[in-house]
């Protein structure tokens, strides 16, 4: 587990059986000794934000499964620091959180697109030492973040595209079946 920091991408090992993280890609927002925090990038929910918030009734903006923790909370990543104040800079291009009332107004007025912001229901979190232990078990591979992985149009290809960034032997993992015993 070298050089893990905010903005790192965690790629689930193709043989990870945990249904919460099966073939997921996670963007880490925070990584400290006392724990880590991030969002699953490649699990779009059937819900849209208008289904979850009465202030945005009728708004069909997509919402993603952020992880199994606090499924009753909405979080967001964005690349609009000029429109959304109070966000925490995670990478040069990607910000976490900010003034949610501004986000609601931007969504209501259709002034922001899914290429600018990602909304998440819940988050992925690890307590002290937990992520380190998972690395020892080879649960995760890591790569660098990119705006395309975080805000790209095709969430179904994020896992494969993240693996492609690793090149070499890891690129072969793209073709592994979910359950090799059924092969």
């Amino acid at each position: 587990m070298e050089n893990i920091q905010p903005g790192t991408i965690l790629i689930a090992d193709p043989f990870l059986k945990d249904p919460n993280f099966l073939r997921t890609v996670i963007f880490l927002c925070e990584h400290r000794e006392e724990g880590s925090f991030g969002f699953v990038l490649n699990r779009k929910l059937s819900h849209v934000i208008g289904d979850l918030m009465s202030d945005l009734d009728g708004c069909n903006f997509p919402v993603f499964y952020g992880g199994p923790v606090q499924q009753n909370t909405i979080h967001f990543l964005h690349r609009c620091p000029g429109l959304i104040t109070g966000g925490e800079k995670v990478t040069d291009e990607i910000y976490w959180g900010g003034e949610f009332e501004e986000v609601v107004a931007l969504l209501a007025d259709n002034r922001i697109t899914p290429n600018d912001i990602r909304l998440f229901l819940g988050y992925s979190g690890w307590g002290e030492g937990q992520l380190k232990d998972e690395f020892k078990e080879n649960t995760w591979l890591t790569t660098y973040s990119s705006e395309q992985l975080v805000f790209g149009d095709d969430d179904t290809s994020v896992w494969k595209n993240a693996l492609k960034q690793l090149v070499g032997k890891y690129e072969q993992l793209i073709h592994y079946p979910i359950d090799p015993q059924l092969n």
Side-chain angles (χ1 to χ4, degrees), residues 89-95:
K89 186 176 183 177
V90 181
T91 70
D92 286 342
E93 305 86 21
I94 302 170
Y95 293 76

Side-chain angles (χ1 to χ4, degrees), residues 17-128:
K17 299 289 189 231
D18 181 343
N20 291 307
F21 298 109
L22 181 67
R23 300 243 169 144
T24 57
V25 175
I26 297 175
F27 177 83
L28 278 183
C29 294
E30 194 172 85
H31 179 69
R32 299 180 180 171
E33 279 200 32
E34 58 269 14
S36 302
F37 170 96
F39 301 107
V40 173
L41 298 176
N42 57 329
R43 289 234 181 118
K44 189 184 295 185
L45 297 172
S46 58
H47 302 296
V48 293
I49 194 64
D51 297 336
L52 303 173
M53 293 187 62
S54 59
D55 290 355
L56 292 169
D57 190 37
C59 181
N60 292 324
F61 206 89
V63 178
F64 288 76
Y65 168 82
V69 182
Q70 290 187 358
Q71 283 286 294
N72 61 343
T73 58
I74 297 173
H75 306 268
F76 59 98
L77 296 173
H78 66 92
R79 54 181 171 180
C80 305
L83 295 174
I84 303 168
T85 60
E88 185 172 322
K89 186 176 183 177
V90 181
T91 70
D92 286 342
E93 305 86 21
I94 302 170
Y95 293 76
W96 160 39
E99 293 299 323
F100 195 67
E101 295 79 21
E102 293 171 356
V103 172
V104 170
L106 291 167
L107 291 170
D109 294 340
N110 291 315
R111 293 188 303 151
I112 198 163
T113 72
N115 291 327
D116 297 319
I117 189 170
R118 246 335 121 98
L119 302 175
F120 300 96
L121 195 59
Y123 65 90
S124 300
W126 295 263
E128 186 175 350

